[in-house]
Amino acid sequence: MAKGRDQDCRLEDYELDGFFDELIDVDGQARPDASALIRLLAKVPVEELRNRQHAIERTLFRMGVTFTVYSDSAGTEKIMPFDLIPRIISAMQWRHIEAGLKQRIAALNLFLTDIYGPKRIIQDGVIDEHTVRSASGYIPQCEGLRPFGDVWCHITGTDLVRNEDGGFYVLEDNLRCPSGASYVLQNRAQMKTNFAKVFAKSRVRPVSDYPSRMYRMLRKIAPPHVDDPLVAVLTPGVFNSAYYEHSFFAQQMGVRLVEGRDLIVDDNDVVYMKTVNGLRRVDVLYRRIDDAFLDPEAFRKDSMLGVSGLMRSFRAGNVSLANAPGTGVADDKVVYAYVPEMIRYYLGSEPILSNVPTYLCHRDEDREYVLSHMHELVVKAAAESGGYGLIVGPHATQAERDEFAAKIIANPRNYIAQPTLSLSRVPTLTEEGIEGRHVDLRPYVLCAGNADIDVMPGGLTRVALRKGSLVVNSSQGGGSKDTWVIAGEGEDLAELKLPAKVPEDLIQET
């Protein structure tokens, strides 16, 4: 046992079931950074933990911390289920993740500048032109565009998973208005109240300054000729699934929340916001509208959500858009498979974070392997997200596998396959008690330039609440946890400001 470890810091009857657990080691003992938390969980009755969790969820619902599931006929407005047992990531492990994310974002920015410009990576045979142009997120109207500083992905949410070897791997990139950061901040606020003493003992890095960091980044990417840029958040409106988040960040940054109908583009290709005092120029838009609906003049003619002429203004250099239109080409799951080669090509270095091994079904050899090993693989549609358009082979019926095989044969470009990973688990409060559940992680990355990349220390941990499930998406029954990144030497600690009354049994000395 490592020096300084507790001799008996464990959860009674907690089973690893052969999976890598992020808080409990193979001997059943708490990992070093989790000792204070595990001691508390071992002492507090499960029923008290459950009561506290229900109280937190009621608080989040009253605050309006919800999302929308369009496909649910029983009701669309839902709270993302919250689990009060946090995930903990060591300082050393986080330094590795942070370096890997910065490297990846730098390469993706260079890739986007290249494919909408000179296309050197295509000419040099690293990736073929058909793969790029057939991606659903590729936008021909962006050819020749050069966002300021050649930064296309200003706000990125990269999904990571941890395998049985304990290492983190990139599962997918999310460059098109990634959601979920608001839940990170609200989850943290609840945990600081309800696990106050353990939180303080654990030396957790802060996330509460993320909105101010985002605001600084948005001001930095304004058109160079603007001295005091006006920033606004562009939302599709109250019926959007992530409207809570749009309004939350507008409020937190102290900027206007606008819809397309609130903006106009004049004859000089300048964007203005309508106010009670007349028109006011807008310099930066954090847009939460999909590319296709952004500008009816440039994209879908029937869009009632966007701003006619916005692309003209963007192309003229009169407004900055975060993220830039066209970034979705890099979200395509086939293009994702080429990111390690992008890193080698553009940066001349080896990837710090590896991709999950990926089979591309448009390659004959890969397709034959996938079709003969469907029972072992996870097969995904290239343009789908949210846990839709995929099949987990080991958990599927033969009929379901046969149906997906037919789809692959009909449109091989649209499908990839990956091994069924033995995803890491974290102790989670369930109806049966504290049990292990599979998790992933979405850190958020802010980029004002490839030399100015800022990674939130933590991110959204999503948890598959259904026993045995590998699907963590909220639309598929998943929930979220707070993510505690442990501070290293000289790194800031999260501030802890307790309310007047806190639950004594959950903050007792441990």
Side-chain angles (χ1 to χ4, degrees), residues 11-271:
L11 291 175
E12 187 177 355
D13 300 326
Y14 185 78
E15 299 292 337
L16 299 180
D17 299 322
F19 294 100
F20 179 89
D21 193 279
E22 299 195 18
L23 302 190
I24 307 294
D25 67 18
V26 292
D27 297 320
Q29 296 288 334
R31 297 189 185 275
D33 292 319
S35 295
L37 175 65
I38 297 304
R39 282 202 307 273
L40 178 63
L41 294 177
K43 292 199 304 185
V44 177
V46 169
E47 194 56 40
E48 173 56 32
L49 292 173
R50 193 171 288 123
N51 290 340
R52 178 54 43 185
Q53 179 161 302
H54 292 333
I56 291 172
E57 290 183 334
R58 288 194 298 270
T59 298
L60 293 173
F61 189 81
R62 286 196 301 270
M63 293 169 62
V65 186
T66 60
F67 70 100
T68 303
V69 180
Y70 296 120
S71 60
D72 190 343
S73 59
T76 60
E77 198 73 9
K78 296 182 179 294
I79 184 173
M80 179 182 286
F82 173 73
D83 184 75
L84 53 64
I85 301 176
R87 177 205 216 137
I88 298 177
I89 301 176
S90 72
M92 182 175 68
Q93 184 70 66
W94 185 254
R95 282 193 290 271
H96 176 77
I97 292 171
E98 184 177 45
L101 291 173
K102 289 182 176 181
Q103 179 193 56
R104 193 173 184 96
I105 297 308
L108 286 168
N109 272 321
L110 292 166
F111 170 71
L112 290 162
T113 298
D114 190 13
I115 60 145
Y116 287 118
K119 300 178 176 57
R120 295 191 314 274
I121 196 169
I122 293 173
Q123 295 165 9
D124 290 341
V126 178
I127 187 171
D128 63 281
E129 186 169 12
H130 174 71
T131 293
V132 173
R133 286 186 170 273
S134 60
S136 63
Y138 174 78
I139 299 180
Q141 295 93 325
C142 291
E143 289 286 348
L145 278 178
R146 294 291 296 270
F148 297 117
D150 288 336
V151 180
W152 295 73
C153 41
H154 307 93
I155 303 171
T156 306
T158 303
D159 290 346
L160 306 177
V161 292
R162 202 169 187 181
N163 205 357
E164 57 194 352
D165 59 5
F168 280 91
Y169 296 81
V170 178
L171 184 65
E172 64 181 48
D173 301 290
N174 296 283
L175 277 61
R176 291 173 294 180
C177 312
S179 63
S182 61
Y183 299 113
V184 176
L185 274 64
Q186 296 290 16
N187 288 352
R188 173 59 56 85
Q190 295 299 320
M191 292 300 294
K192 286 165 70 172
T193 298
N194 287 279
F195 276 164
K197 290 287 181 66
V198 171
F199 186 90
K201 283 174 176 281
S202 298
R203 296 181 51 80
V204 183
R205 292 183 62 185
V207 296
S208 60
D209 59 350
Y210 179 75
S212 62
R213 289 173 182 251
M214 182 193 294
Y215 181 60
R216 285 197 297 270
M217 180 276 294
L218 292 170
R219 286 177 60 89
K220 286 181 180 180
I221 68 168
H225 58 273
V226 178
D227 294 328
D228 185 19
L230 188 145
V231 177
V233 177
L234 176 59
T235 177
V238 296
F239 297 109
N240 183 264
S241 62
Y243 180 76
Y244 162 76
E245 180 159 288
H246 308 167
S247 59
F248 174 83
F249 279 122
Q251 186 271 332
Q252 289 290 304
M253 291 190 290
V255 304
R256 293 291 186 89
L257 180 67
V258 297
E259 298 181 28
R261 61 188 175 181
D262 300 320
L263 303 174
I264 62 168
V265 177
D266 73 1
D267 293 340
N268 295 317
D269 299 334
V270 175
V271 181

Side-chain angles (χ1 to χ4, degrees), residues 344-362:
R344 297 183 184 102
Y345 181 78
Y346 293 115
L347 303 178
S349 56
E350 286 299 307
I352 296 170
L353 291 172
S354 298
N355 274 17
V356 175
T358 303
Y359 301 96
L360 303 181
C361 291
H362 70 269

Side-chain angles (χ1 to χ4, degrees), residues 282-344:
V282 177
D283 306 296
V284 182
L285 283 172
Y286 171 29
R287 55 102 179 188
R288 298 298 296 260
I289 294 178
D290 291 343
D291 290 349
F293 299 95
L294 194 58
D295 180 354
E297 183 181 293
F299 305 122
R300 286 187 52 157
K301 308 299 182 187
D302 61 344
S303 173
M304 303 293 290
L305 303 176
V307 185
S308 184
L310 186 58
M311 285 297 290
R312 278 192 286 109
S313 181
F314 181 52
R315 190 178 290 274
N318 291 328
V319 69
S320 294
L321 301 177
N323 286 344
T327 55
V329 64
D331 286 358
D332 184 275
K333 291 178 174 60
V334 176
V335 175
Y336 148 90
Y338 291 89
V339 176
E341 289 304 317
M342 294 177 198
I343 292 171
R344 297 183 184 102

Side-chain angles (χ1 to χ4, degrees), residues 22 87 423-424 426 437-440 461-463 472 481:
E22 299 195 18
R87 177 205 216 137
L423 295 185
S424 64
V426 174
R437 291 291 185 268
H438 296 295
V439 292
D440 78 353
T461 286
R462 299 182 299 180
V463 54
V472 300
K481 291 174 171 281

Side-chain angles (χ1 to χ4, degrees), residues 386-406:
Y388 296 102
L390 66 77
I391 183 172
V392 181
H395 299 168
T397 65
Q398 186 60 49
E400 290 169 333
R401 292 195 290 266
D402 290 343
E403 180 183 352
F404 248 74

